[in-house]
Amino acid sequence: MTITVNLTVNGQKVTRQVEARTLLVQLLREHLDLTGTHVGCDTSQCGACVVQVDGVSAKACTLLAAQCEGANVLTIEGLAKDGKLHPMQEAFREHHGLQCGFCTPGMVMSALDIVRRHPSPDEATIRKELEGNLCRCTGYHNIVKAVAAGAKAMRG
Amino acid sequence: MYDFAYHKPTNLADAAKLIGAKKDGRLLAGGQTLLPTMKQRLAQPSDLVDLAGVAELRGIKAEGGGVTVGAMTTHYAAHTSPELRKAIKALAKLAGGIGDPAVRNRGTLGGSIANADPAADYPAALVGLGATVNTNQRKIAADDFFKGLFETALKPGEIVLSVSFPAPKRAAYRKFANPASRYAIVGVFVAETANGVRVAVTGAGPKVFRATALEQALAKKFAPESLAGASVPAAGLNSDLHASAEYRAHLIGVMAKRAVAAALK
Ligand SMILES: Cc1cc2nc3c(=O)[nH]c(=O)nc-3n(C[C@H](O)[C@H](O)[C@H](O)COP(=O)(O)OP(=O)(O)OC[C@H]3O[C@@H](n4cnc5c(N)ncnc54)[C@H](O)[C@@H]3O)c2cc1C
Ligand code: FES
Ligand code: FES
């Protein structure tokens, strides 16, 4: 079944004809060429595909494009403004919070969800809240440092 | 994933009509179980009826010594609801321990109990508190709702509207979580209620069950030390790569003691 979905992605209105079974991550990567959102496991476990839907984190591999009708989707590509990295991205760069970088978009998007709920997260909170994000390079130590620094920068 | 027809009704009557008319149709709530199952081609519905637009399934209402939670309430909404926290703190805390933050943002109470995963958390709270499942056709006591492995009393096309939880005198839930998925290897919900002590165990058997030996021990005195000597037999419990039946039987005792201690705090 072909359906039409209308949604806002990174501030831009988009309309696409897709099959009903199209996942949000497929819409982003294959229809909109936004390949920053990664597919690590495709089984809802790894968090590489995390984006924000209406302000809260969601695994884009476990969400139909159809379910996002009218929604406001934010991906990693939507964070930098005028060529300047978002404070959370800058913190990941500064604290070497990535090795191969595959998990990084999901980590950064989850980090923003952590800051939404815990504006000043301590280390234990960050580790617990990153439960849904896996890093195969096991760079967790610096990821945790980056999230704390990013949160601090966002508090201003 | 095989393709399907997608429907998004905006009220309960339309949702019931749609799901009733489609022989191989499935209701879609948060999709956190159904979509992974469809991706693995373990489910192949002809139609998906998305419940996200059905207002009748939303909301958390505290009333007359209990609280009624709408089927489409996400785990995150349940965890952060001030009404729920005030009425039954153990339930709000349980919701905050399901899966990970992104799963909690979408997964729902109705989807969790309709799915009846033997390692899911909510079934322990429903049975532990003696809750009632309200559907568009009837009311079902939690003790009669969970029938077996991924099997409930729901008839095809029956829609869970909400769950009514009576507030206990005290209650707590403790789980020994699978370190990867956070599903319960063993989870124990204990409650001291108006009708006696209830102990519900999830993760350990093919479905959630009441540990009557532990209930009897706690009925004498609701205290961790009452559980010394009481145990659940390993026979019939799950044995898999995560834990043997004997280990699960042992964990039931440990989690029950911790839950009782937490309930008394
Ligand atoms: C990585 C991960 C970790 C998880 N960890 C845990 C955990 O630690 N503990 C835990 O308990 N769960 C866990 N889950 C499962 C999660 O809680 C799911 O959200 C839940 O099991 C299903 O809810 P849903 O709203 O996503 O339902 P869906 O996947 O949309 O639906 C599940 C089933 O319920 C049916 N259904 C949905 N709503 C209704 C309704 N109102 N009436 C009748 N039938 C309905 C559907 O037709 C389907 O058969 C995890 C899931 C993932 C992906
Ligand atoms: S790709 Fe979505 S959770 Fe791994
Ligand atoms: S940096 Fe390589 S997977 Fe995390």
Side-chain angles (χ1 to χ4, degrees):
Chain A
M1 175 185 179
T2 305
I3 54 164
T4 306
V5 286
N6 305 283
L7 64 170
T8 304
V9 179
N10 299 333
Q12 302 218 329
K13 289 210 179 311
V14 296
T15 298
R16 286 291 184 281
Q17 304 260 321
V18 296
E19 282 184 89
R21 63 175 166 179
T22 306
L23 299 165
L24 175 63
V25 74
Q26 292 171 317
L27 176 75
L28 294 172
R29 292 180 57 88
E30 294 164 23
H31 296 256
L32 303 175
D33 289 333
L34 293 170
T35 53
T37 302
H38 291 167
V39 178
C41 63
D42 209 16
T43 57
S44 322
Q45 311 276 342
C46 76
C49 64
V50 169
V51 298
Q52 280 189 14
V53 178
D54 292 330
V56 305
S57 64
K59 292 178 180 174
C61 77
T62 314
L63 188 59
L64 299 170
Q67 291 174 281
C68 298
E69 171 68 29
N72 204 336
V73 175
L74 180 67
T75 73
I76 191 76
E77 288 93 342
L79 294 188
K81 289 269 155 0
D82 305 323
K84 201 163 168 281
L85 291 180
H86 183 282
M88 189 58 77
Q89 292 174 303
E90 185 58 39
F92 270 71
R93 194 189 66 78
E94 177 66 26
H95 292 270
H96 198 64
L98 55 145
Q99 292 189 43
C100 78
F102 192 84
C103 69
T104 313
M107 288 285 178
V108 171
M109 298 311 287
S110 285
L112 296 180
D113 200 64
I114 296 175
V115 175
R116 172 177 71 85
R117 289 171 291 121
H118 309 276
S120 313
D122 60 17
E123 185 187 328
T125 303
I126 296 170
R127 287 188 185 272
K128 182 160 185 323
E129 292 291 332
L130 283 177
E131 235 158 33
N133 292 79
L134 303 180
C135 172
R136 270 184 53 161
C137 303
T138 62
Y140 294 108
H141 197 61
N142 284 352
I143 291 171
V144 172
K145 276 201 253 172
V147 175
K152 186 154 181 266
M154 285 171 70
R155 290 196 299 275
Chain B
M1 190 187 321
Y2 296 107
D3 204 22
F4 48 82
Y6 175 83
H7 312 270
K8 193 169 176 190
T10 52
N11 61 58
L12 183 61
D14 288 353
K17 207 190 287 166
L18 274 164
I19 195 70
K22 312 288 179 192
K23 198 168 98 14
D24 292 318
R26 287 284 278 274
L27 298 166
L28 175 68
Q32 300 303 289
T33 296
L34 184 54
L35 294 176
T37 313
M38 288 170 63
K39 283 163 75 174
Q40 290 173 53
R41 297 189 170 179
L42 295 171
Q44 188 183 346
S46 60
D47 295 77
L48 281 191
V49 178
D50 189 345
L51 297 175
V54 179
E56 289 98 323
L57 306 181
R58 304 196 160 276
I60 298 176
K61 267 200 304 287
E63 52 193 3
V67 58
T68 295
V69 183
M72 286 299 284
T73 303
T74 63
H75 307 329
Y76 176 71
H79 177 56
T80 53
S81 155
E83 291 88 355
L84 189 58
R85 189 156 287 258
K86 191 153 162 270
I88 313 177
K89 192 170 167 199
L91 187 55
K93 284 181 79 168
L94 174 146
I98 297 174
D100 58 57
V103 167
R104 292 196 287 273
N105 281 339
R106 297 211 70 90
T108 67
L109 168 63
S112 175
I113 64 167
N115 189 54
D117 189 304
D121 296 301
Y122 265 129
L126 266 72
V127 173
L129 291 165
T132 303
V133 179
N134 308 305
T135 79
N136 60 338
Q137 300 177 14
R138 56 198 166 132
K139 294 184 184 304
I140 310 171
D143 282 336
D144 304 324
F145 184 81
F146 299 100
K147 292 287 188 202
L149 194 69
F150 297 105
E151 206 189 312
T152 68
L154 291 173
K155 291 188 231 139
E158 190 169 2
I159 302 176
V160 175
L161 307 183
S162 63
V163 180
S164 298
F165 298 91
K169 275 184 234 163
R170 49 176 68 87
Y173 176 66
R174 283 294 178 272
K175 80 166 151 176
F176 193 81
N178 178 314
S181 72
R182 317 316 291 179
Y183 270 105
I185 290 176
V186 166
V188 178
F189 197 103
V190 300
E192 198 178 2
T193 75
N195 305 318
V197 176
R198 297 174 71 99
V199 178
V201 179
T202 190
K207 64 165 194 146
V208 61
F209 64 89
R210 285 174 66 185
T212 39
L214 307 191
E215 291 182 352
Q216 283 158 11
L218 289 168
K220 295 189 193 102
K221 184 177 178 230
F222 191 81
E225 59 271 20
S226 302
L227 292 171
S231 65
V232 171
L237 297 187
N238 302 339
S239 214
D240 54 30
L241 79 155
H242 305 301
S244 65
E246 290 72 25
Y247 186 42
R248 279 193 163 87
H250 172 73
L251 283 175
I252 292 171
V254 177
M255 291 301 119
K257 275 189 208 125
R258 288 187 190 169
V260 172
L264 288 166
K265 268 213 197 106

